[in-house]
Amino acid sequence: MDLPYLTSALPGIGGVLRTVPEDFVVDEVPAYAASGAGDHVFVRIEKRGLTTAQVVQRISRTLGVHERDIGVAGMKDRHAVTRQWLSLPPPVTPEQALALALDDVRVLEAARHGHKLRTGHVRANRFVLRVRGVAPGAGVAEARARAILEVLARSPGAPNWYGEQRFGREGDNAARGRELLAGGKPPRDKKLAR
């Protein structure tokens, strides 16, 4: 996908992104804190090298609850270290959640809340990106990065682009969505239909 760059006239810093999961860290900021009371359990997890759906599936199997009953505010990258919030249904307790032992997943916090977490209940996502193998020379990459940031700090600022993952594996999500809106038949896969 070729997206335009506001800084295309400036030299880049070079380098490579995402050589290891730790090079791309995402920390989800919730829209609100768990209340401390209620039937559901909000958990803050850290996952490494897994999709959010894979984590939900593993937790579901381990705790014996339905995947559909686990709430997720947003999907997070697989090739990264991500921290995000999920909600677990009753009768799961905070103690059970904190005791979960899953490969590449750690439960960092658990607290009760009155309802299931829903898609979009996210205030923001914070990112830490490590670029390896940047332009050689003392301070060259840093000076170039500062020049790029200076341009992006001016109006209109950095565009809110999103990556290829939003367009689907075959790049046809928009066409399929248009077809659905025109009265087409929904896909058999329930998650895809949603």
Side-chain angles (χ1 to χ4, degrees):
M1 170 179 295
D2 292 323
L3 297 173
Y5 291 97
L6 292 176
T7 59
S8 59
L10 297 173
I13 65 169
V16 180
L17 294 170
R18 297 195 199 200
T19 57
V20 296
E22 290 76 14
D23 287 350
F24 189 66
V25 178
V26 183
D27 205 347
E28 182 179 270
V29 180
Y32 48 87
S35 68
D39 291 336
H40 295 265
V41 176
F42 277 20
V43 293
R44 182 170 180 247
I45 64 161
E46 180 180 272
K47 65 180 188 60
R48 177 179 268 93
L50 297 168
T51 65
T52 300
Q54 288 171 323
V55 171
V56 166
Q57 187 178 57
R58 288 181 182 190
I59 290 173
S60 164
R61 279 194 222 133
T62 304
L63 294 176
V65 299
H66 292 285
E67 285 182 45
R68 70 175 178 266
D69 294 334
I70 296 175
V72 175
M75 305 303 263
K76 299 291 176 267
D77 295 72
R78 175 182 185 180
H79 302 291
V81 173
T82 67
R83 293 178 203 97
Q84 70 183 106
W85 288 88
L86 309 175
S87 67
L88 306 176
V92 177
T93 66
E95 294 76 21
Q96 284 175 296
L98 289 167
L100 277 172
L102 301 168
D103 289 341
D104 300 315
V105 179
R106 287 188 318 143
V107 176
L108 305 171
E109 298 177 51
R112 290 199 170 276
H113 194 70
H115 62 75
K116 178 180 179 179
L117 194 59
R118 301 283 180 192
T119 301
H121 288 198
V122 175
R123 175 173 292 150
N125 290 297
R126 293 194 175 111
F127 298 89
V128 176
L129 304 161
R130 175 175 284 131
V131 183
R132 296 179 187 270
V134 297
V140 171
E142 181 181 351
R144 289 179 179 179
R146 287 187 188 283
I148 291 167
L149 290 172
E150 186 178 307
V151 170
L152 294 177
R154 292 185 223 136
S155 186
N160 190 13
W161 294 128
Y162 42 86
E164 297 169 356
Q165 74 271 20
R166 300 291 188 240
F167 295 100
R169 277 193 196 119
E170 307 300 321
D172 62 350
N173 279 358
R176 293 170 86 180
R178 198 174 301 112
E179 185 180 315
L180 275 174
L181 291 172
K185 188 175 179 179
R188 288 184 180 180
D189 181 309
K190 289 181 183 180
K191 287 181 184 174
L192 189 58
R194 183 176 65 98

